[in-house]
Amino acid sequence: MPFKDKEKKKLWERKYRKRKFKEDKDFYRKRNLRDRFGITKEEYDKMLKEQNGRCAICDNKSNTTLAVDHDHKTGLVRGRLCMTCNKGLSLFRDDSDLLFNAANYLYYPPVTVLLGENRYGRTGRVNKKVKRKKKSK
């Protein structure tokens, strides 16, 4: 529908989107899945059912929507992840070698190898300041 007047076009598009949303509540979700990941809403729901509504990595049941995980280089859709796992993968730049190195680091801490024994510090976050008693002279 060609429009010469930009304002009329915007008005028509706004009415169209409003009408489509009333007809189909998943209109925007379907369009987003199709445009960003190349999958249909049915395929999206099938992935959710196959994973029992759980994250493919940590197996936690998410209260929020699971993210569609995909390879940013190839566009390959891999599965559905909770936001924490999806963010974790992105922090490792989707690099399996980095993730493997991180897992090895957790299993075999370099300090244990260096010192020949395990060393244990304070539990919890280390950046919290600890109030120390002043030494008396």
Side-chain angles (χ1 to χ4, degrees), residues 44-94:
Y44 177 83
D45 291 338
K46 186 178 179 181
M47 287 190 321
L48 180 64
K49 187 177 179 184
E50 185 67 31
Q51 292 179 209
N52 295 320
R54 297 180 175 277
C55 173
I57 293 177
C58 67
D59 203 38
N60 285 338
K61 191 161 182 89
S62 178
N63 293 336
T64 61
T65 305
L66 293 171
V68 177
D69 177 48
H70 66 288
D71 188 318
H72 288 245
K73 292 177 186 166
T74 64
L76 172 72
V77 174
R78 296 183 283 220
R80 308 230 356 233
L81 301 177
C82 68
M83 296 304 173
T84 304
C85 291
N86 194 37
K87 181 70 173 172
L89 284 182
S90 71
L91 291 174
F92 280 99
R93 300 182 296 278
D94 292 338

Side-chain angles (χ1 to χ4, degrees), residues 9-70:
K9 181 181 178 186
K10 282 184 182 179
L11 184 62
W12 182 85
E13 287 173 344
R14 196 173 302 129
K15 286 181 181 179
Y16 173 79
R17 286 193 298 268
K18 198 172 189 180
R19 187 179 78 242
K20 284 301 265 183
F21 186 72
K22 280 184 182 177
E23 292 171 8
D24 182 6
K25 297 287 183 192
D26 288 332
F27 172 72
Y28 291 109
R29 185 74 181 142
K30 288 176 185 176
R31 189 172 70 183
N32 184 39
L33 290 170
R34 183 194 68 221
D35 293 348
R36 293 181 71 193
F37 307 111
I39 60 174
T40 64
K41 177 80 166 80
E42 290 75 26
E43 291 169 328
Y44 177 83
D45 291 338
K46 186 178 179 181
M47 287 190 321
L48 180 64
K49 187 177 179 184
E50 185 67 31
Q51 292 179 209
N52 295 320
R54 297 180 175 277
C55 173
I57 293 177
C58 67
D59 203 38
N60 285 338
K61 191 161 182 89
S62 178
N63 293 336
T64 61
T65 305
L66 293 171
V68 177
D69 177 48
H70 66 288

Side-chain angles (χ1 to χ4, degrees), residues 100-134:
F100 182 75
N101 291 343
N104 275 337
Y105 175 83
L106 292 175
Y107 280 112
Y108 310 106
V111 169
T112 302
V113 174
L114 181 69
L115 300 177
E117 62 180 286
N118 291 333
R119 294 290 173 103
Y120 296 94
R122 230 175 6 118
T123 59
R125 294 185 63 125
V126 178
N127 63 353
K128 290 183 180 177
K129 291 184 179 180
V130 177
K131 291 185 179 179
R132 298 179 189 263
K133 294 180 180 178
K134 291 184 179 180

